[in-house]
Amino acid sequence: MSAMSGMAHPGDLLSAWLDGELTPGEAREVAAHVDGCSACGAERDQVEASRLAVRGLPSMEAPAGILRATPAVHVGDLISACLDGELALDLRPGIDAHLAACPACAAEHDEVAWARTALRALPLIDPPRDVMRPAWAWPAPAARPTHAPLRPRTRQLLAATAAVAAAGVGVLGLVGREGPADSSRPAVASFVSQHSTSSPGPDAVSGLAPAAMPISFTR
Amino acid sequence: MSDDGGSVPTWEEVARTHGRFLYTVAYRLTGKDDDARDLVQEVLLRLHRGLATYRPGSLEGWLSRITTNVFLDGVRRRQRRPTDLLPEEPDRADRVLPATKAAEEAYSDATLSADVQRALDALPDEFRVAVVLCDVAGLPYQEIATSLGVPVGTVRSRIHRGRALLRETLAGRES
């Protein structure tokens, strides 16, 4: 322990020695020095007495509730977000743990939850009848007298227009009418294929000449 | 025109299929039948004029956003003209007096509903809007944030504080 020999006295190494924080070699050298040095021996006794005095202090009972009422941060408006399902899932356990440990926040939770329930239980209200039929949307019966009555010429023109329109509809009905397909009438294509005169020879099954096979009168 | 076609539904379609929802949201926001009527008619008028831009999705969510925007426009107008508020304030506590038979019937069998509506009316506008859009209209936080033009965190805070204030106002009632 050359360094220690140079310092003559171990000084603050005494506390480290008493606390068992020195290496075995250091501890042996300090012990040897203290045994041979009355000043360091006396200092060792003082340090040890203080050390034991502090370590001997009794543990104290915590005041009731003090450990429950001092969470690091109150959760505040996260309570409402939690109730509304607006909170990230990974925050939920922390909120729940806080609520379990903090009476103030637990009480706030209950109050806010009560208010939320009361608000959501408010009934829908039937609107007064006239509200959904605004004044500007009324059929305005008062507006009619402001219009001048139709002149005879206008009436005639309207009547003529109506007649033309009706006639047009009738014509369109005749011309454009498309009834359902008449299945009793064979399509032209199928009629031709079945009764064509282009059959080259007698019917393959009956051996008879096709009905429409042209008859030649020439030799 | 229907809500799945991407086009703006007509006011008739909205009135026919979503009138109840629309009026309820309007009433919860305003707390007064007259104001709710005005709000609904303004929304229908905007639809009639085709001013609204509808994107395919929840029609009720879309209606809620329009209703809220119209409501907030009115709030901003009143804030620019603070004297308008003076006649309204003294009877604010008595605002929940549904003038229509339908509204009265809705509350007659539920004292709690009237109390909750009264507490809702007492909330600051920004809290009430957030709470109504969440708990009455059923919009998710992100939609509310988009509708109001604020961050989601702000929406979360307003909803929470609005509920806490509402509960505080209703303190004493048996839960």
Side-chain angles (χ1 to χ4, degrees):
Chain A
M1 191 173 178
S2 58
M4 192 175 294
S5 304
M7 289 168 51
H9 301 292
D12 55 11
L13 286 178
L14 284 174
S15 285
W17 173 52
L18 293 172
D19 289 333
E21 295 287 341
L22 296 181
T23 63
E26 290 173 334
R28 277 195 298 274
E29 293 194 28
V30 170
H33 180 93
V34 170
D35 284 345
C37 175
S38 57
C40 286
E43 187 178 355
R44 187 267 320 270
D45 293 342
Q46 288 178 354
V47 169
E48 178 68 356
S50 299
R51 181 173 172 272
L52 292 176
V54 172
R55 291 186 173 225
L57 288 174
S59 60
M60 299 178 68
E61 286 295 325
I66 190 170
L67 297 180
R68 292 166 55 85
T70 54
V73 180
H74 291 297
V75 286
D77 56 19
L78 293 178
I79 292 172
S80 278
C82 199
L83 290 169
D84 293 331
E86 295 272 358
L87 203 61
L89 288 178
D90 56 342
L91 291 178
R92 187 67 191 255
I95 302 293
D96 289 342
H98 181 92
L99 291 175
C102 177
C105 284
E108 187 176 349
H109 172 277
D110 293 345
E111 300 284 289
V112 169
W114 186 94
R116 179 178 180 272
T117 302
L119 283 163
R120 294 186 173 224
L122 285 172
L124 284 170
I125 309 172
D126 287 324
R129 287 180 184 173
D130 56 333
V131 171
M132 291 300 158
R133 197 158 168 267
W136 45 261
W138 289 352
R144 281 186 180 167
T146 62
H147 293 297
L150 294 178
R151 296 176 186 172
R153 180 179 174 79
T154 308
R155 277 202 291 266
Q156 290 170 1
L157 185 61
L158 285 176
T161 305
V164 169
V169 169
V171 169
L172 286 174
L174 290 175
V175 172
R177 183 180 177 190
E178 290 183 2
D182 187 353
S183 58
S184 65
R185 295 182 177 179
V188 173
S190 65
F191 186 88
V192 168
S193 67
Q194 291 174 16
H195 303 285
S196 170
T197 58
S198 62
S199 249
D203 184 82
V205 177
S206 64
L208 301 174
M213 176 172 268
I215 302 171
S216 175
F217 293 99
T218 59
R219 296 191 179 201
Chain B
M1 280 178 287
S2 63
D3 53 338
D4 58 359
S7 55
V8 180
T10 63
W11 71 268
E12 291 99 333
E13 288 172 332
V14 169
R16 187 173 60 249
T17 58
H18 298 277
R20 204 172 178 217
F21 173 83
L22 180 57
Y23 181 75
T24 299
V25 171
Y27 192 92
R28 299 303 177 209
L29 283 172
T30 62
K32 290 175 76 174
D33 177 66
D34 288 346
D35 290 345
R37 286 167 177 255
D38 291 346
L39 195 48
V40 167
Q41 298 224 346
E42 178 63 24
V43 171
L44 294 179
L45 185 59
R46 290 194 182 196
L47 295 177
H48 180 61
R49 290 174 176 168
L51 295 179
T53 304
Y54 174 64
R55 290 186 296 275
S58 162
L59 181 57
E60 291 191 343
W62 179 67
L63 284 174
S64 300
R65 286 196 295 274
I66 296 178
T67 308
T68 304
N69 289 337
V70 174
F71 171 72
L72 291 176
D73 285 349
V75 169
R76 292 184 196 104
R77 276 198 299 273
R78 284 198 298 276
Q79 286 173 343
R80 282 198 295 270
R81 294 177 296 166
T83 52
D84 287 1
L85 281 176
L86 294 177
E88 299 282 346
E89 284 303 306
D91 60 3
R92 185 175 179 84
D94 300 325
R95 284 176 64 181
V96 185
L97 292 173
T100 66
K101 187 179 177 184
E104 284 174 347
E105 286 175 350
Y107 288 119
S108 62
D109 58 346
T111 310
L112 175 60
S113 294
D115 288 347
V116 172
Q117 179 67 52
R118 206 171 286 123
L120 205 49
D121 294 343
L123 291 180
D125 289 328
E126 65 267 26
F127 292 169
R128 184 167 66 258
V129 166
V131 164
V132 167
L133 289 180
C134 178
D135 289 328
V136 177
L139 297 189
Y141 285 13
Q142 183 58 59
E143 265 199 67
I144 299 172
T146 303
S147 175
L148 301 179
V150 298
V152 173
T154 303
V155 169
R156 190 175 68 200
S157 172
R158 288 179 181 177
I159 289 172
H160 184 72
R161 293 178 65 190
R163 286 172 178 165
L165 276 173
L166 186 133
R167 181 66 183 104
E168 195 178 318
T169 304
L170 294 170
R173 172 178 275 279
E174 290 297 322
S175 57

